[in-house]
Amino acid sequence: MNKDITVKIRFVDLLDGVRGTAFKVYDKYCVVIDSKLSEDEQAAVFLHEMLHVWHDDASKDCSLARIERERAAELPRILSAMERLEQP
């Protein structure tokens, strides 16, 4: 698999209830994270939004609800894989 991904990350005061978003402009992504969140919360939002980038969700033709369900289910699997990789 070969992916060439360019991402800009911005920290902005977002509306209440909006923690982050990722969108594609031409061939580049922008990830926006709520600057009011704690550092751990910002990291969690970053991982979630980067999964959208990884899967090129901005280019998919399906419902946002379906995409969000898929990413929400995927994140625990990814974190588990990270833990296994970090064990000696």
Side-chain angles (χ1 to χ4, degrees), residues 10-86:
R10 299 277 188 227
F11 295 88
V12 177
D13 284 354
L14 295 175
L15 298 173
D16 289 342
V18 179
R19 296 180 304 257
T21 188
F23 55 92
K24 191 174 187 179
V25 179
Y26 301 108
D27 62 341
K28 298 177 183 173
Y29 274 91
C30 183
V31 172
V32 180
I33 300 171
D34 189 352
S35 61
K36 298 182 301 281
L37 299 174
S38 71
E39 189 172 335
D40 285 350
E41 291 169 329
Q42 287 177 350
V45 170
F46 170 78
L47 292 174
H48 176 85
E49 297 304 331
M50 289 306 296
L51 285 174
H52 287 301
V53 170
W54 181 256
H55 292 287
D56 197 22
D57 287 339
S59 298
K60 291 190 175 167
D61 188 24
C62 60
S63 75
L64 179 60
R66 178 180 172 188
I67 291 171
E68 287 300 327
R69 279 193 309 272
E70 289 174 0
R71 296 307 146 246
E74 180 181 24
L75 190 54
R77 292 193 318 267
I78 299 298
L79 294 175
S80 179
M82 285 175 65
E83 287 178 357
R84 288 191 306 272
L85 290 171
E86 291 177 2

